[in-house]
């Protein structure tokens, strides 16, 4: 085995949920992604909608087990010493397919893998494959251009060790909805809860204990909320020392508001998102992606009777780079989605 090392890191990531056209929805998931050589490993697997086992919404004991497996302190969950690297974001079942790999420990300086060269243990991820049954068929379903990756043992253990010492993801998946339009907020709260985001409705944040304020990741203001109420809510969170995202609703359209809130909840580094840019101008939308992935562009507007009109402008796999998409007349708001990112843009009046 080559003695060349790859760097290993961890970073927060998101599987973008949302209310889709036709009433369908997909679940919002937050997880920790693997950063290999400075880039999310998930992005190197082309167009894949998946999450790592290190998700924020699983019980702490199961989360700890997943971390210990990656450290080889717990038994491999699959045959042949294989471990799940990414799985289905909806059910996490192997029958839906998963990216698996062999994880093994060698010795620092052991270039031939025989363990005789001494030193502390390094970790190797190899033989990546798409697996849907007990056995992985490397010839048919192997990721032949991915890995093997050899990680320095101290760096690898330090990164994963942080997750065992209070660094596990959690919290911040609740949203406080501020506004007087009860019916709209009720529909919005229901939509958020359906995709796995907690939501509560209030007129303001007065009298809410600081401990409760700390459970929110975002605050969404309806358009009719006056400036003095917005300022008071912001002051309440600032006084509690809570770093929360504030969202000003663009229009009373539930899927659009869900997309805005999802963007606000995204804690992944900007440099590690596949969806880099969205702009609407001159009857077209310009979007930029950093790696090959599926992109959906959905257009929303309200007619003169305040009925919501929806148009799917694009749903296809795009190559890295900038792409221009023609929009229908009177397009007002555009939502762009990749498996891991959401962006919202409003057309100029």
């Amino acid at each position: 085995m080559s003695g060349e090392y790859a760097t290993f890191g961890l970073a927060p990531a998101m599987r973008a949920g949302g209310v889709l056209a036709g009433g369908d929805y997909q679940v919002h998931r937050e997880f920790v992604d693997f950063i290999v050589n400075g880039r999310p490993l998930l992005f190197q697997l082309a167009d894949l909608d998946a999450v790592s086992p290190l998700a924020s919404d699983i019980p702490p004991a199961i989360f700890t087990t997943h971390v210990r497996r990656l450290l080889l302190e717990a038994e491999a969950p699959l045959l042949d010493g294989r471990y799940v690297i990414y799985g289905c974001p909806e059910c996490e079942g192997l029958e839906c397919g998963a990216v698996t790999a062999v994880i093994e420990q060698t010795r620092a300086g052991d270039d031939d893998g025989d363990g005789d060269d001494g030193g502390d243990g390094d970790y190797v991820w190899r033989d990546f494959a798409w697996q849907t049954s007990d056995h992985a068929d490397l010839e048919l379903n192997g990721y032949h251009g991915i890995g093997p990756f050899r990680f320095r043992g101290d760096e690898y253990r330090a990164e994963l060790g942080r997750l065992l010492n209070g660094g596990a993801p959690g919290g911040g998946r609740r949203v406080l909805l501020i506004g007087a339009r009860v019916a709209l907020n009720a529909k919005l709260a229901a939509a958020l809860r359906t995709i796995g985001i907690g939501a509560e409705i209030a007129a303001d944040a007065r009298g809410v204990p600081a401990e409760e304020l700390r459970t929110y990741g975002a605050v969404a203001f309806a358009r009719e909320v006056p400036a003095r109420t917005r300022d008071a809510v912001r002051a309440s969170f600032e006084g509690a020392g809570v770093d929360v995202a504030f969202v000003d609703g663009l229009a009373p359209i539930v899927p659009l508001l869900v997309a805005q809130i999802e963007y606000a909840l995204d804690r992944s580094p900007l440099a590690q998102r596949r969806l880099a840019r969205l702009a609407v101008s001159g009857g077209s939308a310009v979007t930029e992606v950093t790696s090959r992935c599926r992109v959906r562009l959905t257009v929303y507007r309200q007619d003169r009777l305040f009925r919501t009109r929806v148009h799917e402008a694009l749903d296809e796999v795009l190559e890295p780079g900038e792409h221009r998409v023609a929009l229908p007349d009177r397009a007002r708001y555009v939502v762009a989605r990749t498996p891991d990112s959401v962006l919202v843009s409003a057309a100029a009046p």
Side-chain angles (χ1 to χ4, degrees), residues 6 14-15 18 34 39-40 74 88 101 106 110 121 125-126 130 154 167 184 187 194 197 205 221 227 268 273 298 328:
M14 179 184 80
R15 188 272 187 144
F34 309 111
R39 187 164 177 253
C88 173
T106 65
D110 179 18
W125 289 15
R126 62 174 175 82
W130 179 253
D154 53 354
L184 175 63
K187 291 179 181 178
T194 296
I197 299 174
F221 296 110
S268 61
R273 300 182 190 181
T298 307

Side-chain angles (χ1 to χ4, degrees), residues 48 62 153 159 170 229 249-250 264:
L48 184 65
I62 297 177
E159 285 291 302
T229 300
L250 287 173

Side-chain angles (χ1 to χ4, degrees), residues 94-344:
L94 185 61
E95 62 274 8
C96 288
V99 177
T100 67
V102 173
I103 301 179
E104 59 188 9
Q105 195 168 15
T106 65
R107 296 289 182 180
D110 179 18
D111 290 344
D112 56 9
D114 62 9
D116 294 334
D117 296 9
D120 296 328
D122 294 329
Y123 292 80
V124 174
W125 289 15
R126 62 174 175 82
D127 295 341
F128 288 82
W130 179 253
Q131 189 168 344
T132 58
S133 61
D134 291 340
H135 293 276
D137 187 334
L138 295 180
E139 186 68 27
L140 183 64
N141 296 315
Y143 286 98
H144 302 293
I146 304 297
F149 300 115
R150 179 172 181 164
F151 306 116
R152 296 184 185 276
D154 53 354
E155 177 185 68
Y156 185 91
R157 287 187 291 270
E159 285 291 302
L160 289 169
R162 289 191 296 105
L163 301 179
L164 297 175
N165 298 310
R173 295 176 60 243
R174 297 176 68 215
V175 180
L176 184 61
L177 307 177
I178 304 293
R181 298 183 64 173
V182 177
L184 175 63
N185 274 342
K187 291 179 181 178
L188 177 56
L192 290 169
R193 292 166 187 156
T194 296
I195 67 172
I197 299 174
E200 282 76 43
I201 303 170
D204 52 48
R206 290 178 296 182
V208 179
E211 293 76 13
E212 182 176 345
L213 293 180
R214 294 190 184 101
T215 66
Y216 293 105
V219 177
F221 296 110
R223 290 197 299 177
E224 73 276 4
V225 175
R228 63 180 180 275
T229 300
R230 296 170 188 253
D231 292 342
V233 170
R234 289 188 172 93
S236 294
F237 278 89
E238 183 178 348
V242 181
D243 181 18
V244 67
F246 294 99
V247 178
D248 293 314
L250 287 173
I253 300 172
V254 169
L256 177 67
L257 295 171
V258 168
Q260 285 189 263
I261 290 169
E262 281 239 287
Y263 174 78
L265 289 173
D266 192 349
R267 296 292 186 264
S268 61
L270 290 173
Q272 293 173 3
R273 300 182 190 181
R274 275 190 274 209
L275 191 55
R277 185 167 71 95
L278 173 67
V280 180
S281 178
S284 62
V286 177
T287 186
E288 181 181 354
V289 294
T290 60
S291 67
R292 188 175 186 270
C293 62
R294 179 186 179 189
V295 179
R296 292 197 301 264
L297 291 184
T298 307
V299 177
Y300 297 94
R301 69 176 180 87
Q302 285 187 309
D303 62 19
R304 289 179 295 178
L305 298 178
F306 301 101
R307 294 172 298 193
T308 299
R309 302 300 185 186
V310 184
H311 175 78
E312 292 289 344
L314 177 74
D315 186 355
E316 61 183 77
V317 175
L318 300 181
E319 298 297 328
E322 185 177 284
H323 303 269
R324 183 177 296 273
V325 180
L327 300 177
D329 292 339
R330 294 178 291 179
R332 189 69 182 93
Y333 308 102
V334 179
V335 174
R337 292 183 178 277
T338 63
D340 66 296
S341 305
V342 177
L343 283 179
V344 180

Side-chain angles (χ1 to χ4, degrees), residues 83-100:
Y83 295 78
V84 175
I85 306 300
Y86 295 106
C88 173
E90 299 286 346
C91 70
E92 301 183 51
L94 185 61
E95 62 274 8
C96 288
V99 177
T100 67

